[in-house]
């Protein structure tokens, strides 16, 4: 039960406070909602999302004629799942091409856990019987190529690389050729995480995407933005910047095990309209989990 253990810190921060709140109040009034609002904000659910959630809770409490504070918890759970799903069937499903090469591009600033995530996903896909290849497209950060190679050895997946400082678009070109030649199912592409200069970032990502698309029409099939949950609202700022720079199709939220503010999942989904496709719940190979709103909310309260 990875979600339960991975969310321990958030659970301590969030549900203990909610339980405490519910125990202290005899009726549901404005003060009750104000305290609940504060708890949600402290869990990094995000101001806008908290306001929407509180409004909906108030309506639901009225509609169902709920008087007892202890009955509010299940309504909160329900609303959290609703907000996350946003009426979509399976917002978290990875766009995998059946019987054809799927290309997944990873973007994100240094240190967020991009390399680790690529390694973990390579492992997960391999476990599912897929042939995977990784492309060392971060030719900028010292040590990035070696680090991906370490993961390659660990999970038994080939890494296509050039030397440090070389053109990432050339690496991608070779990686696509290799993936085709080896009949690979999935190509996982690392990229450099320079955010200091948005114009350069945009240009580099555009060039890399152009090379991939020229070789495989319709690719990349996913552009996954990796964000570090422990950076809280800073992760939101990064998400906005990357969203402007490229078409982000999903988010991988890492280090959820290391934060008490796991509410960021909801803020990202509700305010940026990007689904969280995976969460990192630890440093080990099998600590990457497809995100599941129900398991997440269950992990928060149980
Ligand atoms: P990159 O610079 O974005 O490629 O980041 P790395 O993949 O090198 O990760 C930076 C650090 O975060 C490493 O020490 C990883 O082990 C750690 N890390 C990555 N994902 C997770 C996670 O989900 N949970 C925890 N606790 N640590 C993680």
């Amino acid at each position: 039960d990875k979600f339960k253990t991975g969310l321990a810190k958030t659970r301590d921060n969030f549900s203990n406070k909610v339980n405490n709140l519910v125990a202290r109040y005899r009726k549901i009034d404005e003060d009750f909602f104000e305290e609940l609002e504060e708890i949600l904000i402290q869990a990094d659910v995000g101001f806008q999302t908290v306001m929407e959630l509180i409004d909906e809770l108030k309506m639901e409490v009225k509609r169902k004629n709920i008087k007892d504070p202890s009955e509010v918890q299940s309504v909160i759970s329900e609303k959290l799942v609703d907000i996350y799903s946003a009426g979509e069937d399976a917002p978290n499903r990875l766009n995998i091409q059946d019987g054809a090469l799927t290309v997944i591009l990873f973007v994100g600033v240094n240190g967020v856990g991009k390399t680790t995530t690529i390694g973990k996903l390579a492992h997960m896909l391999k476990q599912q019987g897929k042939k995977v290849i990784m492309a060392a497209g971060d030719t900028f950060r010292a040590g990035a190529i070696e680090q991906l190679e370490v993961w390659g050895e660990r999970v038994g997946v080939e890494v296509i690389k050039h030397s440090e400082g070389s053109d990432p678009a050339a690496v991608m070109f070779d990686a696509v050729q290799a993936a085709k030649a080896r009949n690979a199912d999935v190509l996982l592409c690392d990229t450099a995480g320079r955010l200091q200069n948005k114009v350069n970032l945009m240009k580099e990502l555009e060039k890399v995407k152009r090379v991939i698309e020229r070789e495989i029409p319709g690719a990349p099939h996913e552009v996954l933005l990796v964000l570090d949950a422990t950076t809280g609202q800073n992760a939101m700022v990064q998400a906005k910047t990357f969203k402007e720079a490229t078409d982000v199709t999903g988010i991988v939220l890492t280090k959820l095990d290391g934060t008490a503010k796991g509410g960021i999942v909801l803020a990202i989904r509700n305010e940026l309209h990007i689904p969280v496709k995976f969460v990192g719940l630890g440093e080990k190979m099998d600590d990457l989990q497809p995100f599941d709103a129900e398991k997440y909310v269950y992990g928060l309260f149980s």
Side-chain angles (χ1 to χ4, degrees):
D1 207 331
K2 292 261 174 203
F3 271 90
K4 225 180 132 180
T5 43
L7 284 166
K9 287 188 182 173
T10 300
R11 185 168 57 245
D12 285 347
N13 176 35
F14 180 65
S15 20
N16 290 355
K17 285 183 192 165
V18 172
N19 291 342
N20 180 285
L21 174 74
V22 163
R24 276 189 292 113
Y25 276 80
R26 311 194 73 185
K27 61 178 186 8
I28 303 167
D29 55 15
E30 268 307 308
D31 287 347
F32 175 86
F33 281 117
E34 257 176 47
E35 279 200 48
L36 182 60
E37 201 176 293
E38 190 55 35
I39 293 169
L40 289 161
I41 284 176
Q42 280 174 12
D44 258 354
V45 172
F47 187 73
Q48 189 185 319
T49 307
V50 171
M51 292 307 135
E52 285 176 38
L53 182 63
I54 294 285
D55 278 350
E56 291 205 19
L57 282 176
K58 283 182 179 169
M59 280 194 282
E60 197 74 355
V61 161
K62 206 167 168 190
R63 201 172 61 81
K64 288 190 173 162
N65 198 20
I66 297 174
K67 298 262 187 279
D68 186 351
S70 68
E71 285 169 53
V72 172
Q73 189 170 310
S74 63
V75 185
I76 298 175
S77 298
E78 229 169 79
K79 288 292 159 198
L80 290 176
V81 175
D82 276 0
I83 285 187
Y84 189 84
S85 314
E88 274 179 71
D89 225 9
N92 316 320
R93 193 179 297 139
L94 205 57
N95 180 18
I96 293 277
Q97 308 297 297
D98 270 331
L101 178 63
T102 301
V103 184
I104 303 178
L105 202 63
F106 288 81
V107 299
V109 304
N110 292 338
V112 292
K114 196 151 36 98
T115 317
T116 307
T117 298
I118 296 171
K120 286 171 174 173
L121 187 59
H123 174 66
M124 186 191 290
L125 292 167
K126 222 188 136 190
Q127 297 283 93
Q128 295 169 5
K130 296 195 160 55
K131 184 167 176 58
V132 183
I133 289 186
M134 304 195 280
D138 185 354
T139 59
F140 186 74
R141 177 168 73 88
I145 299 168
E146 291 73 17
Q147 207 188 330
L148 197 64
E149 283 189 297
V150 170
W151 271 102
E153 275 169 31
R154 195 176 291 160
V155 302
V157 163
E158 186 184 358
V159 177
I160 306 299
K161 57 160 189 176
H162 286 188
S163 53
E164 201 177 300
S166 60
D167 182 355
V171 179
M172 293 309 165
F173 181 83
D174 279 359
V176 171
Q177 304 312 321
K180 284 182 179 170
R182 320 255 200 291
N183 248 323
D185 299 300
V186 187
L187 174 63
L188 303 176
C189 308
D190 197 5
T191 63
R194 281 174 284 174
L195 198 61
Q196 295 85 341
N197 186 328
K198 201 159 87 186
V199 178
N200 281 351
L201 173 81
M202 229 182 283
K203 274 191 191 151
E204 183 164 317
L205 290 177
E206 277 316 308
K207 193 173 168 197
V208 161
K209 281 175 79 175
R210 217 163 39 236
V211 168
I212 294 172
E213 197 183 11
R214 204 187 310 132
E215 298 305 307
I216 306 165
H221 305 94
E222 292 274 3
V223 178
L224 299 183
L225 169 62
V226 184
L227 297 173
D228 177 345
T230 65
T231 62
Q233 291 305 309
N234 202 3
M236 291 291 287
V237 176
Q238 284 170 24
K240 279 178 196 151
T241 309
F242 273 95
K243 202 181 166 197
E244 283 164 22
T246 189
D247 297 318
V248 176
T249 59
I251 280 172
V252 182
L253 194 63
T254 64
K255 311 185 199 180
L256 209 53
D257 55 307
T259 180
K261 300 182 166 208
I264 188 91
V265 171
L266 292 154
I268 289 170
R269 173 70 176 151
N270 194 43
E271 289 168 36
L272 302 172
H273 311 289
I274 310 173
V276 176
K277 298 216 172 182
F278 293 96
V279 287
L281 297 166
E283 289 185 282
K284 291 194 296 296
M285 213 187 275
D286 55 0
D287 284 338
L288 188 75
Q289 292 285 315
F291 182 71
D292 180 310
E294 278 176 27
K295 279 190 195 161
Y296 166 82
V297 171
Y298 174 77
L300 281 185
F301 284 108
S302 59

